[in-house]
Amino acid sequence: MSAGADRLAEVSHRIADAARAAGRQPSDVTLVAVSKTHGADSVRELLEVGHRVFGENRVQEAEGKFPALKAEYPDLELHLIGPLQTNKAREAVALFDVIQSVDREKLAASLVKEMERLGRRPACYIQVNTGEEPQKAGILPKDLDAFVTACREQYKLPIVGLMCIPPVDEEAALHFALLGKMAARNGLAKISMGMSADYETAVRLGATHVRVGSALFGARPALAAHA
Ligand SMILES: *Cc1c(COP(=O)(O)O)cnc(C)c1O
């Protein structure tokens, strides 16, 4: 087995254990393998052992890696997990199967326009800034319910879930619990939370998608991390 396949087996095992410990089914949790900064060869190692769900945080980087892999593996599912500029909305709708970072009305409007133009409707998540950090993207918790309603009724975006990135210096569990509550209150089934350091906690608190990078692919070069 490749090193990548070994790490995939380990992370999958931990996810399954955390799910069972919480009385959940391991199959209720999807592992999004975050391949940012890592090359197509690293992605291929996981594809070869059957993994199909990947995440990237930059449109341009993903465009350099994934079109060829998607041609080879048509059931590959690619998630955009990083901030999206409106001028990249068309490229994002064309390439990604899921967009986890919808965080403002202007972007919702651009996405829906491009979806109509391209005849493709990637599932969308709303990113919530649960820690209310000024430097971080995401809708503030107090504005979420109104934004969900606008996405559904005004923009008719296919909103299916919520995503968050907790502050690095706070207990992630509190943010995960808050995101779970906000998803339930809004009737949203998908909850994307948990990264390499805390994905097991996220699974215990109801994550349906965990986004794991370094635990699968190894450490990222510091300068290219742009996390
Ligand atoms: C990079 C990144 C991850 C993965 O981070 P790791 O700590 O390497 O697992 C998850 N989510 C987002 C939004 C990211 O940008």
Side-chain angles (χ1 to χ4, degrees), residues 60 94 107 131 153 176 178 202:
Q60 218 169 346
L107 178 59
E153 291 175 9
F176 296 159
L178 174 64

Side-chain angles (χ1 to χ4, degrees), residues 3-4 8 25 28 30 100 104 130 133 143 159 165-166 170 184 190 212 226:
L8 175 67
Q25 297 292 332
D28 290 344
T30 300
Q100 293 200 6
R104 58 200 190 282
T130 57
E133 296 172 281
D143 299 330
I159 296 287
I165 310 170
E170 286 181 27
K190 311 278 189 193
V212 179
H226 52 66

Side-chain angles (χ1 to χ4, degrees), residues 26-73:
S27 59
D28 290 344
V29 184
T30 300
L31 169 61
V32 181
V34 178
S35 50
K36 65 187 184 196
T37 78
H38 296 281
D41 288 351
S42 301
V43 174
R44 200 177 287 280
E45 277 189 6
L46 302 195
L47 283 165
E48 280 166 1
V49 292
H51 193 76
R52 290 293 181 271
V53 187
F54 294 88
E56 286 278 338
N57 71 339
R58 290 188 170 186
V59 175
Q60 218 169 346
E61 184 182 341
E63 281 179 323
K65 233 181 277 182
F66 277 93
L69 293 169
K70 281 186 129 187
E72 210 177 320
Y73 294 91

